[in-house]
Amino acid sequence: MDTVVNGLVFDLDNTLLDRQTTFMRVAGNFYEEHLCATTSVTRDDAIRKIVQWDADGYANREKMFARWLGEWPEAGLDMGTLTKWYRSAMERQVQPSMEVNGFLAYLNDRQVPWGIVTNGSRNQHRKCRAAGLDQLAPFIIVSEEVGYAKPDPRIFSDALKATGLTGPEQIMFVGDNPIADIDGAKGFGMKVGWIRRGRQYPVDLQPPDHVFDFVTEVRHIVDMTPQSPCVGNERR
């Protein structure tokens, strides 16, 4: 390969975690727990609407929940109750991936600098715990905690500092969102790998350096020479 890097930074949802499948299970749980006995909507129709409103995870959570409440008032929920239920349901439905976690453990064994950068709320930490990622990741940067989100260059700068590497060109950012992940990291100077998920890359954006179907495919383009321990690799 023509792109060899020394460190990796990963997106979380639909990169290290199969969020799409997790969310589908949560939508099914919502129907079974709150709609099945109170509304005439079918399970398939309810899940279709919920998935559409979610916009692949990029919809504003509060606005999305408002749509649920407005569509199904007979469920008897309010914003606070629904928000609490959703966070708990997402955590329950997250399932660790032995293949992904094994790969990340291998990166740690080889002392490859890496970490996670994710847009979202502090609830992302709960998902990481449920997936076993919190015990593996040298660092986890969550947009709500730092006050800015991908594609803001500051969050990529934070990731670079956390790896302990000296230049963005030494790092490959791996993610599924063409704008937030790929265009954002590329604009900061990082190499980029796109998780395609059966999609075509937007023609109006600069193409990624690599295209992957599964995150573990990046093992072939990272330098596995053990790195010296550094402050930037401490756990957060």
Side-chain angles (χ1 to χ4, degrees):
M1 290 285 189
D2 59 353
T3 305
V4 177
V5 294
N6 303 110
L8 295 162
V9 179
F10 298 98
D11 171 49
L12 179 62
D13 291 311
N14 288 324
T15 300
L16 295 179
L17 292 182
D18 184 355
R19 183 194 179 276
Q20 184 177 25
T21 299
T22 299
F23 186 81
M24 289 286 289
R25 288 196 292 262
V26 169
N29 287 166
F30 181 74
Y31 177 82
E32 291 149 11
E33 294 180 30
H34 299 291
L35 301 182
C36 182
T38 61
T39 73
S40 60
V41 66
T42 67
R43 188 179 192 277
D44 287 347
D45 284 346
I47 291 176
R48 177 181 54 79
K49 288 182 177 182
I50 290 170
V51 170
Q52 179 182 354
W53 296 337
D54 176 61
D56 204 27
Y58 287 92
N60 176 275
R61 296 294 91 185
E62 187 172 338
K63 291 181 179 179
M64 184 184 76
F65 294 152
R67 298 191 75 168
W68 295 18
L69 297 174
E71 184 76 10
W72 300 297
E74 57 268 44
L77 300 171
D78 57 34
M79 184 64 74
T81 303
L82 177 55
T83 300
K84 184 177 180 180
W85 177 90
Y86 175 81
R87 289 175 176 170
S88 177
M90 284 293 285
E91 184 176 2
R92 290 196 310 270
Q93 291 299 337
V94 168
Q95 296 182 0
S97 166
M98 293 182 63
E99 185 174 356
V100 171
N101 289 8
F103 168 62
L104 299 176
Y106 177 68
L107 294 181
N108 287 338
D109 289 343
R110 301 300 298 173
Q111 300 178 27
V112 175
W114 72 275
I116 299 170
V117 173
T118 175
N119 285 355
S121 70
R122 292 175 176 85
N123 191 53
Q124 297 293 76
H125 286 293
R126 298 174 67 177
K127 289 158 64 175
C128 285
R129 285 196 297 272
L133 296 173
D134 64 320
Q135 297 298 312
L136 293 167
F139 63 88
I140 301 171
I141 298 173
V142 178
S143 65
E144 183 179 83
E145 295 178 335
V146 297
Y148 36 82
K150 298 174 294 184
D152 190 311
R154 291 176 293 178
I155 205 164
F156 298 108
S157 178
D158 290 348
L160 172 61
K161 292 174 185 175
T163 64
L165 297 172
T166 58
E169 71 283 351
Q170 296 176 279
I171 296 172
M172 173 167 286
F173 192 97
V174 182
D176 73 298
N177 187 279
I179 296 175
D181 296 329
I182 305 307
D183 205 50
K186 198 174 188 72
F188 182 69
M190 292 178 174
K191 303 294 190 300
V192 290
W194 183 52
I195 307 295
R196 79 173 104 202
R197 298 172 56 213
R199 302 165 296 167
Q200 294 295 318
Y201 196 79
V203 296
D204 58 336
L205 297 178
Q206 292 187 60
D209 298 294
H210 291 271
V211 177
F212 306 116
D213 291 308
F214 197 65
V215 69
T216 57
E217 294 171 18
V218 306
R219 83 164 61 232
H220 303 296
I221 56 172
V222 63
D223 182 0
M224 293 295 181
T225 304
Q227 305 291 316
S228 298
C230 58
V231 174
N233 284 339
E234 293 179 353
R235 294 184 185 273
R236 282 175 41 159

